[in-house]
Amino acid sequence: MDQSELRQWEQRCIQEEPPPCMAACPLHVDARAFIGFLQGGRWADALKTLHRVMPLPGILGRICDTPCQTACNRKEAGEAIRIGDLERACVSRTEDRRRVMPLPAKTHRIAVVGSGLSSLTAAWDLARKGYPVTVYVPEQEPAAFLLRSHPQRLSREIIEREIRLMTSLGVRFKTGTGFATAEDGQRCRKDHAAVYVGLDAVSPDPWAMAPATAAPQGSFGTTGDEGLFSGGDHPSPVWQTAQGRWAATTMDRWLQKVSPTAGREKEGPQGTRLYTNLQGIAPLTAVTPADPGSGYSETEALDEAGRCIQCQCLECVKVCAYLAHFGAYPKRYVREIYNNEALVLGERKANRLINSCSLCGLCEAVCPHDFAMQDLCLAARQSMVGRSKMPPSAHDFALQDMAFSQSDRFALARHEPGRTTSRYLFFPGCQLCASAPGQVPRVYDHLRHHLTDGVALMLGCCGAPAHWAGQQARFATELNLWKGRWERLGRPRPVMACASCLRIFKDHLPEADPISLWEILDEMELPPDRLQPRQVPLAVHDPCTTRGEETVQDAARRLLARMGVPYEELQLGRAHTECCGFGGLMQNANPALAREVAEKRGSRSGLDYLAYCAMCRDNLAAVDKRSLHLLDLLFPDPNQTDPSARPRPGWSRRRENRLRLREHLARELWNEPSAAAGTPLVLQMDSTVVDLLDARRILREDIEKVLRHVQKGGQAFHHPDSGHWLACFRPYQATFWVEYSPLDDGYRIHNAYAHRMEVPGP
């Protein structure tokens, strides 16, 4: 990812766009943060928020005409927040402890004419930049003009407090010095490096300024005369203030001989792309102060602040446990991933962020600007693999499991018995075979009965683990392996029981024209031994890989309806369905987060769940969510009285299920002899050890490899106190350690752990 790509990715995330109130304010006062502090009763912090961008807050905070309120999203659900009244309450009730430090002193003397808001703002900003400023006031006191303009909101004490702060910065006030003639104006300009004329308080006539160029919007206070600036010709107090600020910036740049306009595109009111979802926001009217003259009491202000919905997007973070887990949002994650890629030496702290994404695409589905975190993470994985920076431990177990599924121990490709051609190909996928192997033969028999043009059968893996791991070359190899088997069968149309397989082939092998098993079954008669209709509804969980596959989702629901099974939709379903924690290898890279994802998904409804993906069903079952598979209804196991309580098989059992299924099908359908296999070792383990090995992704056959290594003379260590033995073996990229005790007929396993890492040589 280069800088250009980084900017493009960052631009798609709108979370850091300003809220509408801030964007509409000419000064860009952060009203959201200001009110947020008030909601927590943090009055001093709220005042500091005003101080950051608001000049003369003691004055403007009382008379601001709040153009921000017209943009407030709250008006779509009640009334706009009374931001101006809250500002007034804050500056009236909070002690002002400002300490303003100017920049180092400059030599250019500046004159500011008038004591209106624009003039005082220009003087304030220029003084803070270090310029010696003299304010020429036509009246006999600096406060006179503002007192006359806003008698009900301002007092002499309030204005003089702000003026004292200005004098502490070195601003001088000369009262009774109006400029009545052109000669007065010329003399003033001659005595100063730059002059600002505040048109909100004085006449432009002595300055010979053409009205059309006095302060046109976007001119930043320039006039047709070099060194003469003006502003304030707007009836709005906040606009007068803003024009004084823009003119001060222009004067500073002019005096320093730099571009007066560069980098100022965001000054003044702006549009914003920030999206705020108002669904579920109850309409609330504004709080009315008991005494309108004095404004909000403290309690009333807190009540009004409490109506603010704190506009932000975070649509993706709200629904994605992965995005929420890392404590930020996509725009920040883009920067972390960019820095991770740019790192030459040192710890790559974003690796876990990159590898934990389930690649499900929910973020893109809910984002107003289609930010696809899954594309970013997948590209980062591919880059890391390509540069040999991907830790092998991240995806090793899944890749080893894929290799097993592609090996002769499980893989199989056969025409229907008695046929040499096939129109269709049933591909159940590796995980259905691992989860419920008994359903595969029953589904295959049903398909052969109804699809009379021949149905081939293929066992194996679609290569999704390699794709999810970012291993493009290996994925291409696995896909070509599948493609070769398919072509040798005559390219029959694949019928996919797994939504992930369907997604892989639609995206990467579209010429196969794959179709979902559910679409095929929906066109057939229902199995005669299906479960009888039930009264209690099920909650339908759509696999995340069916996002965008409405025909598949519809077919699953039609099958339920045809069976007389009532169902309900989850709050997040169909296009907005959530991942179960398996996709994208999240379960391998971050097991704790995967469990959190599954638990969150399972909490969406108190009903039993209906899934039509084997891993979705098993992952939900693993967090004690009662769930069943659609095939549990269509082709029920007569030995199971409650399919929703079927436990998730562990990783060792999943592999054993595939082994036995392959052997069963080869023997029963094609009369092939069983593959020669060594006699398995007798291993005794209590349930806690079984659970521990499953959590650590250590298979029974991994334990056997270590023990057979010892039988062949491998080293083992004996603990004299416990009597246990400890041995290790590295059969592939993982090193396994097993703590055991020999028995007369086998071994008792006490513990085991594995290191999936590479230690590079010198």
Side-chain angles (χ1 to χ4, degrees):
M1 184 192 307
D2 58 24
Q3 284 279 348
S4 175
E5 292 173 305
L6 170 66
R7 298 289 177 254
Q8 291 174 12
W9 275 108
E10 288 182 321
Q11 181 68 10
R12 295 178 195 173
C13 180
I14 59 174
Q15 172 61 19
E16 293 181 4
E17 288 278 310
C21 52
M22 182 178 180
C25 174
L27 294 171
H28 295 169
V29 172
D30 191 348
R32 179 180 62 187
F34 165 72
I35 298 174
F37 284 127
L38 290 184
Q39 289 177 337
R42 297 167 61 181
W43 291 83
D45 290 326
L47 185 60
K48 288 178 183 177
T49 304
L50 298 182
H51 288 167
R52 288 191 187 99
V53 295
M54 183 183 284
L56 315 172
I59 296 174
L60 187 57
R62 287 176 167 84
I63 63 174
C64 179
D65 51 317
T66 59
C68 52
Q69 285 186 202
T70 62
C72 177
N73 278 328
R74 221 338 161 173
K75 69 177 184 294
E76 305 300 326
E79 294 182 88
I81 303 297
R82 294 188 175 178
I83 302 172
D85 290 340
L86 291 176
E87 290 176 349
R88 181 184 175 195
C90 184
V91 299
S92 299
R93 287 173 169 78
T94 310
E95 183 179 356
D96 191 341
R97 297 181 177 179
R98 275 176 294 170
R99 293 183 63 188
V100 183
M101 301 297 293
L103 292 176
K106 297 180 174 65
T107 58
H108 297 292
R109 295 173 60 245
I110 295 178
V112 172
V113 182
S115 57
L117 280 174
S118 76
S119 297
L120 294 180
T121 299
W124 168 269
D125 282 5
L126 289 166
R128 291 190 64 187
K129 295 177 187 293
Y131 290 102
V133 178
T134 301
V135 179
Y136 294 93
V137 182
E139 294 82 11
Q140 295 303 313
E141 59 174 332
F145 178 79
L146 289 176
L147 279 174
R148 188 168 64 248
S149 303
H150 305 278
Q152 296 182 346
R153 291 289 180 89
L154 297 178
S155 67
R156 179 174 283 99
E157 179 185 359
I158 290 169
I159 300 171
E160 288 180 348
R161 188 185 306 140
E162 296 288 352
I163 288 176
R164 283 196 298 272
L165 190 60
M166 294 176 68
T167 57
S168 71
L169 290 175
V171 178
R172 298 172 59 203
F173 286 85
K174 288 192 174 183
T175 59
T177 55
F179 296 92
T181 66
E183 289 76 12
D184 293 336
Q186 291 173 357
R187 187 165 50 255
C188 179
R189 292 175 61 185
K190 182 179 179 181
D191 293 340
H192 298 85
V195 177
Y196 175 80
V197 179
L199 301 179
D200 48 340
V202 298
S203 169
D205 294 341
W207 307 94
M209 290 185 292
T213 60
Q217 188 172 356
S219 69
F220 304 115
T222 58
T223 69
D225 297 324
E226 189 173 9
L228 181 62
F229 303 84
S230 68
D233 61 341
H234 196 289
S236 159
V238 70
W239 272 94
Q240 293 167 3
T241 303
Q243 288 182 351
R245 167 154 291 170
W246 302 335
T249 300
T250 302
M251 295 168 74
D252 176 46
R253 291 189 174 194
W254 179 76
L255 290 168
Q256 297 192 57
K257 303 187 184 306
V258 297
S259 170
T261 58
R264 301 179 68 178
E265 298 81 5
K266 293 187 177 181
E267 285 190 356
Q270 302 287 323
T272 180
R273 299 183 301 145
L274 186 68
Y275 170 78
T276 301
N277 190 341
L278 299 179
Q279 185 176 0
I281 301 295
L284 293 174
T285 58
V287 174
T288 301
D291 183 356
S294 60
Y296 282 139
S297 67
E298 182 172 339
T299 300
E300 291 168 340
L302 293 177
D303 288 344
E304 177 63 10
R307 292 197 312 119
C308 176
I309 59 178
Q310 290 290 290
C311 293
Q312 57 181 339
C313 182
L314 294 182
E315 288 298 290
C316 57
V317 178
K318 293 174 188 175
V319 297
C320 177
Y322 155 71
L323 291 174
H325 177 80
F326 288 92
Y329 44 86
K331 188 167 187 176
R332 289 192 181 179
Y333 297 148
V334 172
R335 175 63 66 176
E336 289 182 35
I337 292 172
Y338 172 81
N339 291 339
N340 201 71
E341 286 211 352
L343 196 64
V344 177
L345 296 174
E347 183 183 358
R348 289 175 167 79
K349 296 184 178 180
N351 283 3
R352 197 166 180 83
L353 168 69
I354 293 167
N355 288 322
S356 295
C357 177
S358 68
L359 309 180
C360 76
L362 177 57
C363 53
E364 183 179 15
V366 300
C367 176
H369 292 273
D370 303 324
F371 191 105
M373 190 73 187
Q374 75 276 9
D375 292 348
L376 177 65
C377 287
L378 183 58
R381 294 180 195 181
Q382 292 169 349
S383 174
M384 290 170 66
V385 170
R387 294 179 292 114
S388 300
K389 299 299 183 183
M390 176 63 75
S393 59
H395 309 121
D396 179 65
F397 181 83
L399 295 173
Q400 293 292 339
D401 195 56
M402 179 188 70
F404 165 80
S405 292
Q406 294 289 63
S407 72
D408 292 340
R409 300 176 69 191
F410 175 63
L412 176 148
R414 302 283 189 275
H415 284 295
E416 182 178 335
R419 288 181 175 270
T420 58
T421 61
S422 303
R423 182 179 177 185
Y424 291 96
L425 166 66
F426 179 42
F427 186 67
C430 55
Q431 296 305 335
L432 176 62
C433 298
S435 172
Q439 292 175 344
V440 174
R442 293 197 290 272
V443 174
Y444 187 44
D445 288 344
H446 186 77
L447 294 176
R448 287 190 294 149
H449 179 73
H450 288 84
L451 301 175
T452 57
D453 293 335
V455 183
L457 177 68
M458 186 188 294
L459 303 181
C461 179
C462 66
H467 173 63
W468 291 340
Q471 299 212 7
Q472 294 171 285
R474 185 166 181 180
F475 173 59
T477 298
E478 303 298 339
L479 195 63
N480 285 332
L481 179 61
W482 193 98
K483 183 178 179 182
R485 294 167 178 163
W486 170 65
E487 289 179 336
R488 285 191 291 275
L489 291 172
R491 300 167 65 99
R493 188 180 190 188
V495 178
M496 304 289 189
C498 172
S500 295
C501 295
L502 183 69
R503 180 79 276 141
I504 286 289
F505 287 108
K506 281 195 170 186
D507 290 345
H508 302 281
L509 197 65
E511 62 267 31
D513 190 24
I515 187 171
S516 168
L517 172 64
W518 318 116
E519 295 175 90
I520 289 289
L521 292 179
D522 186 41
E523 297 174 354
M524 300 176 179
E525 295 179 1
L526 293 173
D529 56 350
R530 64 188 180 277
L531 281 183
Q532 296 303 308
R534 51 183 285 157
Q535 300 299 318
V536 180
L538 297 168
V540 177
H541 163 74
D542 298 293
C544 62
T545 41
T546 66
R547 199 182 320 281
E549 297 287 345
E550 293 184 7
T551 56
V552 177
Q553 296 169 347
D554 290 343
R557 287 162 173 78
R558 282 195 300 268
L559 285 167
L560 290 174
R562 289 174 59 194
M563 287 187 288
V565 176
Y567 65 88
E568 294 183 4
E569 300 288 353
L570 288 168
Q571 179 184 6
L572 291 172
R574 290 189 175 267
H576 291 165
T577 190
E578 297 171 286
C579 182
C580 70
F582 176 75
L585 305 184
M586 174 191 281
Q587 203 169 52
N588 290 267
N590 199 331
L593 176 59
R595 183 175 182 85
E596 179 185 340
V597 168
E599 289 175 341
K600 182 178 180 181
R601 183 56 171 170
S603 69
R604 297 292 183 184
S605 172
L607 298 173
D608 288 4
Y609 278 21
L610 183 284
Y612 46 102
C613 164
M615 283 309 303
C616 289
R617 196 224 72 88
D618 286 353
N619 273 13
L620 291 165
V623 295
D624 300 322
K625 179 62 184 178
R626 286 176 52 84
S627 306
L628 48 77
H629 194 283
L630 185 50
L631 292 179
D632 291 328
L633 300 177
L634 290 164
F635 303 95
D637 184 341
N639 297 318
Q640 287 183 347
T641 58
D642 185 4
S644 292
R646 176 162 61 93
R648 171 194 178 274
W651 295 110
S652 289
R653 178 58 62 85
R654 301 183 80 84
R655 181 162 295 189
E656 293 168 6
N657 284 344
R658 279 174 280 178
L659 282 167
R660 294 192 180 107
L661 174 64
R662 199 262 188 215
E663 183 173 313
H664 169 81
L665 291 171
R667 182 181 64 249
E668 298 298 323
L669 295 180
W670 291 281
N671 298 314
E672 297 178 5
S674 299
T679 303
L681 297 178
V682 176
L683 304 181
Q684 295 183 14
M685 292 178 274
D686 61 33
S687 60
T688 57
V689 174
V690 172
D691 292 342
L692 180 67
L693 299 186
D694 194 60
R696 292 175 176 173
R697 307 295 196 272
I698 299 175
L699 302 178
R700 183 187 181 92
E701 67 179 49
D702 297 326
I703 302 291
E704 289 195 16
K705 288 175 182 176
V706 175
L707 297 174
R708 292 191 188 278
H709 174 67
V710 174
Q711 290 176 346
K712 294 177 182 179
Q715 190 176 20
F717 304 93
H718 183 256
H719 195 290
D721 295 334
S722 67
H724 296 176
W725 290 82
L726 181 66
C728 70
F729 181 56
R730 181 182 173 91
Y732 44 91
Q733 215 161 262
T735 300
F736 297 95
W737 292 80
V738 178
E739 183 182 348
Y740 65 95
S741 296
L743 302 174
D744 291 340
D745 59 347
Y747 300 87
R748 172 167 290 281
I749 308 303
H750 304 290
N751 196 359
Y753 52 94
H755 298 299
R756 287 183 169 86
M757 63 176 65
E758 291 178 343
V759 181

